[in-house]
Amino acid sequence: MPSTITTQRGEFRRIYRALQRKPDLAARTPVFFCEGDSWFSTPLAMNLLDWLVFPTPEDEERGVPQFGAGGLFFRTERSGDLAIDIFSERRIADLVDLYEGFEFDVVLISAGGNDFVADFLKGLFAGQSPMTPEQAFARVERSRRFEEVRGAYQRFLRAFKRMRPNTPILAHTYDYPQRMGEPARLTVANLARRRCCATTSDRGSRRTSRTCCRRWRSRSASPRC
């Protein structure tokens, strides 16, 4: 079957049950549980999950399938979510309630980046005197935010592993920090294209960048790269 995605529990339940009534199809259709932040949910470009769900134009032309025979994706991610909120005891209880009712093959997670930006940094450095990057980083470390996020992940992993100890749980690594102190040269038109290219190309590779631009152009009305 082709890849199928849904964010509605009732719809997922209906599709899952229909799939189980066809054992041969169910045996070759992986079922994914997805939770996270904008790396999984941004509508501006092909986010990380979209690259798994939808084939690139080149793969589509060659008939290359995604995950062999498609998949069924239940997606609960939301842009801006924090790991400490996603993996709070209340949210975990809600996620487990869904997770235990179905035979998921893989769990995909993206969380933690938003915990270290925006309101957190604003509050942490409010009223502080100018400092060096090293001093600023040391202040973040002393805030014990890393321990807080790590603890949130541990709560989630314990709950899900207790339910299904053999189901793999995969979390992506966040990108390395880039140079700061210079204004970003972004527009609404090129924001998604830059993100797409950053995930698939080496900054020094013009050939790869052109491939990415062609890929983006096939999905966008943006006139140029």
Side-chain angles (χ1 to χ4, degrees), residues 1-224:
M1 70 179 275
S3 293
T4 303
I5 62 173
T6 180
T7 60
Q8 304 298 319
R9 297 191 181 198
E11 182 181 36
F12 175 81
R13 185 177 295 108
R14 178 182 60 79
I15 297 172
Y16 181 87
R17 288 174 177 171
L19 186 63
Q20 298 308 303
R21 289 194 290 270
K22 300 179 179 180
D24 290 344
L25 182 59
R28 62 178 189 271
T29 303
V31 183
F32 296 84
F33 184 99
C34 311
E35 174 61 286
D37 52 23
S38 61
W39 284 86
F40 281 3
S41 68
T42 180
L44 296 176
M46 292 283 285
N47 57 58
L48 291 183
L49 288 184
D50 289 341
W51 285 107
L52 302 183
V53 174
F54 304 109
T56 65
E58 292 86 350
D59 286 346
E60 209 164 25
E61 290 175 5
R62 298 201 309 271
V64 179
Q66 302 294 288
F67 282 100
L72 175 57
F73 292 75
F74 182 73
R75 300 176 61 167
T76 65
E77 66 279 352
R78 292 184 304 182
S79 296
D81 272 4
L82 278 63
I84 59 175
D85 294 333
I86 296 173
F87 304 143
S88 67
E89 292 185 5
R90 180 184 62 81
R91 285 278 293 274
I92 287 176
D94 184 55
L95 293 174
V96 166
D97 184 57
L98 173 73
Y99 186 63
E100 67 180 347
F102 305 94
E103 293 289 336
F104 287 98
D105 296 292
V106 182
V107 177
L108 302 179
I109 296 297
S110 170
N114 293 318
D115 297 75
F116 294 92
V117 296
D119 291 342
F120 166 70
L121 290 182
K122 183 178 179 180
L124 186 65
F125 292 99
Q128 296 297 307
S129 301
M131 61 184 73
T132 66
E134 291 77 15
Q135 290 171 328
F137 188 75
R139 184 171 178 79
V140 172
E141 288 187 309
R142 289 195 302 271
S143 74
R144 300 193 63 78
R145 188 66 155 187
F146 288 106
E147 288 77 7
E148 194 176 5
V149 171
R150 185 181 296 112
Y153 260 95
Q154 288 172 338
R155 279 196 302 273
F156 166 77
L157 291 172
R158 281 195 296 266
F160 269 50
K161 280 299 186 182
R162 189 182 307 120
M163 190 69 57
R164 302 190 190 286
N166 297 319
T167 299
I169 299 175
L170 307 178
H172 77 89
T173 57
Y174 276 79
D175 201 358
Y176 291 104
Q178 301 298 317
R179 186 174 182 178
M180 299 178 65
E182 295 181 2
R185 293 183 292 276
L186 299 177
T187 66
V188 173
N190 71 17
L191 177 61
R193 180 171 71 252
R194 287 174 65 91
R195 178 167 185 156
C196 160
C197 293
T199 60
T200 59
S201 68
D202 176 4
R203 287 173 181 263
S205 172
R206 300 180 112 186
R207 181 184 61 79
T208 307
S209 295
R210 285 197 297 271
T211 300
C212 174
C213 288
R214 286 197 301 272
R215 196 175 285 170
W216 167 253
R217 197 176 289 135
S218 71
R219 294 181 171 88
S220 169
S222 183
R224 61 190 178 87

